[in-house]
Amino acid sequence: TAPSDHASTRESVGGIRVRLSLTSRIYHCPGSPEYRAPDRGAYLSERDAQAAAFEPANGHACTVATGDTAFLD
């Protein structure tokens, strides 16, 4: 099941929680305008999103995109 968009960006099992865009097979990093978009998306760890063949929306992993490692365990 997908966690709510009000959940923390920390994953309980490491990694950054990203927002999936199911139709385009991309994911959005915390802090991006699309991260809390009201359309039909889901939230998953970045690691799991990549394993499921989702690509980062901006072409870079979230740690690179945000420059912030505070989201990492």
Side-chain angles (χ1 to χ4, degrees):
T1 62
S4 79
D5 64 332
H6 299 290
S8 167
T9 55
R10 276 186 165 253
E11 281 290 301
S12 60
V13 184
I16 297 172
R17 186 186 324 272
V18 297
R19 186 187 151 281
L20 305 178
S21 178
L22 302 174
T23 56
S24 60
R25 307 284 303 168
I26 61 173
Y27 65 85
H28 303 279
C29 299
S32 71
E34 297 84 3
Y35 186 76
R36 296 211 184 261
D39 68 350
R40 302 174 85 190
Y43 291 83
L44 195 62
S45 75
E46 183 174 35
R47 186 177 313 141
D48 290 344
Q50 291 169 340
F54 281 80
E55 297 289 331
N58 65 357
H60 301 286
C62 293
T63 53
V64 173
T66 64
D68 185 359
T69 58
F71 295 109
L72 300 176
D73 286 340

